[in-house]
Amino acid sequence: MEGTEREVVETAMEAGHILLENGAEIFRVEETINRVCRHYGVESCNAFVLSNGIFVTAGSVREEIFAKVQHIPVSGSHLNRVAAVNQLSREIAQGQYTIGEVRQRLEEIRRMPGKTKRMQILASGIGSGAFCYLYGGTLRDCGAAFLAGVLLYTFVLYVSGPHLKKMMSGIAGGVVATVACMVLYELGIGQHLDRMVIGSIIPLVPGVAFTNAIRDIADENYIAGSVRMMDALLVFFCIAMGVGLVYTVRQRLML
């Protein structure tokens, strides 16, 4: 595959890479790769996508054979980048870009900044307080859950995220959130410990990954869906382990 055709396939693969590593569904990745290739005249492209890898082949009687594999580790979700690539894909279908401009735009999307740490910490606190209220907490419980959520995500961003593996990060996060809630409860800031804890651990829950796993399985992408489901369930288990560990220690100390 010469020049432009090779560039088209590699560009399509780059778009798929950005989608997959930022939490997009499998069918969306495959559709985007095929759409980009077809629009720029590569009809023989075939993409096989798993939760942590992309396999692309192209070639026919008139085209030189091309094959490439990319490994993409399972990571977090950045839906702003997914939305940007989806919009780019629609604009490509409308004929708004040359292949060179597409590559430049993909590089800009890859460099798109995520949310600031301050915003993530504030969102964690607000989410914790809101979910505490949804689970029946009082306003005092919501205030305590807000403080615990702020402390939790400060820990996640500055300690567990950079220095701990996913399993240990989940356990440590569960411990930090539960200990924070217990301290606030003993200080009289909150009234219902269980609702405070439930609200404060919500920022750790991989809701997007779990939802995408169900969608992948529903779309008959069983391997990718199962891998994502196992990854999400592992995080759930680790969070529960951290919470249970703190409750167990508390019960032993109260005996």
Side-chain angles (χ1 to χ4, degrees):
M1 185 174 294
E2 302 283 341
T4 301
E5 292 174 341
R6 180 180 293 274
E7 185 180 9
V8 167
V9 177
E10 290 182 343
T11 300
M13 203 168 183
E14 177 65 16
H17 186 123
I18 294 173
L19 286 172
L20 191 60
E21 73 178 353
N22 288 290
E25 307 93 321
I26 299 299
F27 82 89
R28 191 184 303 276
V29 178
E30 293 176 342
E31 180 185 46
T32 299
I33 292 174
N34 291 327
R35 181 182 296 175
V36 172
C37 287
R38 285 196 304 269
H39 178 77
Y40 291 106
V42 182
E43 298 290 343
S44 59
C45 179
N46 288 287
F48 177 61
V49 181
L50 296 175
S51 59
N52 58 350
I54 299 176
F55 305 78
V56 173
T57 63
S60 65
V61 175
R62 295 170 300 171
E63 299 173 346
E64 187 177 329
I65 299 299
F66 174 90
K68 191 171 183 179
V69 177
Q70 284 188 353
H71 174 253
I72 304 170
V74 177
S75 58
S77 300
H78 299 279
L79 299 184
N80 57 333
R81 293 174 188 164
V82 173
V85 175
N86 287 337
Q87 180 61 32
L88 175 62
S89 176
R90 287 188 283 269
E91 292 170 353
I92 289 171
Q94 296 170 2
Q96 298 185 22
Y97 294 98
T98 66
I99 191 63
E101 291 171 340
V102 172
R103 292 185 70 88
Q104 182 179 359
R105 180 72 182 112
L106 287 173
E107 186 60 32
E108 292 172 358
I109 293 173
R110 182 177 287 281
R111 294 198 303 265
M112 284 178 63
K115 299 296 186 293
T116 63
K117 291 183 177 180
R118 181 177 298 179
M119 183 176 293
Q120 292 180 60
I121 291 170
L122 179 60
S124 174
I126 293 173
S128 296
F131 274 100
C132 179
Y133 181 78
L134 289 175
Y135 283 102
T138 64
L139 290 178
R140 289 171 60 185
D141 295 334
C142 293
F146 173 86
L147 295 175
V150 167
L151 178 62
L152 168 64
Y153 230 72
T154 301
F155 173 79
V156 168
L157 292 176
Y158 291 100
V159 180
S160 68
H163 304 295
L164 299 178
K165 297 294 185 181
K166 180 174 288 188
M167 289 184 62
M168 289 305 301
S169 180
I171 295 172
V175 169
V176 168
T178 308
V179 169
C181 288
M182 286 182 176
V183 171
L184 294 169
Y185 177 77
E186 294 297 332
L187 292 174
I189 297 177
Q191 296 173 291
H192 304 92
L193 179 59
D194 55 343
R195 296 163 194 174
M196 292 161 53
V197 172
I198 291 172
S200 65
I201 64 175
I202 288 295
L204 295 174
V205 174
V208 174
F210 187 76
T211 302
N212 283 347
I214 295 174
R215 293 185 66 175
D216 287 339
I217 292 173
D219 289 328
E220 300 181 359
N221 293 309
Y222 299 118
I223 296 176
S226 298
V227 170
R228 283 185 169 177
M229 181 71 74
M230 289 181 63
D231 184 69
L233 291 176
L234 179 63
V235 176
F236 294 151
F237 175 76
C238 291
I239 296 170
M241 185 182 296
V243 174
L245 178 64
V246 176
Y247 268 97
T248 300
V249 172
R250 181 171 182 261
Q251 290 294 330
R252 294 289 179 88
L253 294 177
M254 292 176 64
L255 292 179

